[in-house]
Amino acid sequence: MGILARITNAAKSSNKSNEPSFSTGAHGIDKNRVLSPTDPTVINPVNAGNWETVRTAPVNDTPRYFNKAEADALKRVATQKSLEARQAKRAYKSLKKLEQSDAQVHTAHRNYIKGVADSELTKKRSDATTARHLHTLRPEYAKLGFGLDRAENKAQQRIDELKAKIKEKY
């Protein structure tokens, strides 16, 4: 259901008996779900990623001479890799910006969710306060009810007396 449909939906969902009871302090916060990664390959302490690197040419661990063809070929590869490195830097910079943007949206959404949760608690606190106040009114309503019962009984008694008097006359 879309957000507009939810906002305009007048029907309220009914309470389900199998839901956790807020009145007992129950919760549905699963720490494993809260802390689960946003992607299975994301880097975190449990998944440190791989430690591979880029190596175009093997390490030349012993001194050696190169001939002109090798030097020219290496120069061409180095020039090409220099251009690719520049593009790789641009690409990684863009990927980093995307991650930062995603993180900003994620954080903004979580702040919104925290605001919703805070507002819900404020509303429920107000409901509980109102319910407590209504409980304090119950004795007065009971007193009023007893008074009405007494008045009804007296009126009925008086009516019964009048009926009896009328029957005696006729």
Side-chain angles (χ1 to χ4, degrees):
M1 182 182 279
I3 191 166
L4 287 177
R6 281 191 223 146
I7 290 171
T8 58
N9 187 2
K12 296 279 186 185
S13 63
S14 62
N15 286 342
K16 296 178 182 125
S17 60
N18 62 350
E19 287 183 0
S21 172
F22 290 114
S23 64
T24 61
H27 67 86
I29 304 167
D30 178 353
K31 69 179 178 182
N32 291 322
R33 285 190 64 199
V34 171
L35 298 176
S36 68
T38 57
D39 183 273
T41 61
V42 75
I43 305 301
N44 60 46
V46 176
N47 180 22
N50 65 53
W51 298 97
E52 292 180 27
T53 188
V54 174
R55 182 160 307 285
T56 304
V59 174
N60 196 8
D61 57 353
T62 57
R64 66 169 279 214
Y65 290 99
F66 292 91
N67 62 36
K68 182 172 178 6
E70 289 173 319
D72 290 344
L74 284 171
K75 183 169 181 158
R76 280 192 304 275
V77 170
T79 301
Q80 180 62 34
K81 292 301 176 185
S82 180
L83 294 172
E84 290 174 3
R86 199 171 309 127
Q87 299 311 314
K89 273 179 68 174
R90 285 183 57 226
Y92 280 120
K93 186 175 179 181
S94 295
L95 286 170
K96 183 179 175 182
K97 275 184 168 179
L98 289 172
E99 284 294 328
Q100 290 169 339
S101 296
D102 289 350
Q104 287 175 349
V105 169
H106 183 93
T107 301
H109 182 260
R110 291 300 184 246
N111 284 334
Y112 159 73
I113 293 297
K114 288 189 288 188
V116 169
D118 289 346
S119 294
E120 180 69 8
L121 177 59
T122 299
K123 292 173 187 178
K124 293 291 108 189
R125 193 177 285 133
S126 176
D127 288 350
T129 301
T130 301
R132 281 193 300 273
H133 179 72
L134 291 174
H135 278 302
T136 66
L137 299 179
R138 288 176 56 207
E140 281 300 313
Y141 274 94
K143 187 176 173 182
L144 292 172
F146 294 142
L148 289 174
D149 287 342
R150 196 171 347 142
E152 181 182 358
N153 288 338
K154 282 183 181 178
Q156 191 62 49
Q157 185 180 8
R158 183 68 180 131
I159 291 169
D160 291 342
E161 288 171 4
L162 289 173
K163 280 183 183 177
K165 278 186 183 180
I166 291 173
K167 282 186 183 177
E168 283 177 13
K169 285 189 177 183
Y170 296 107

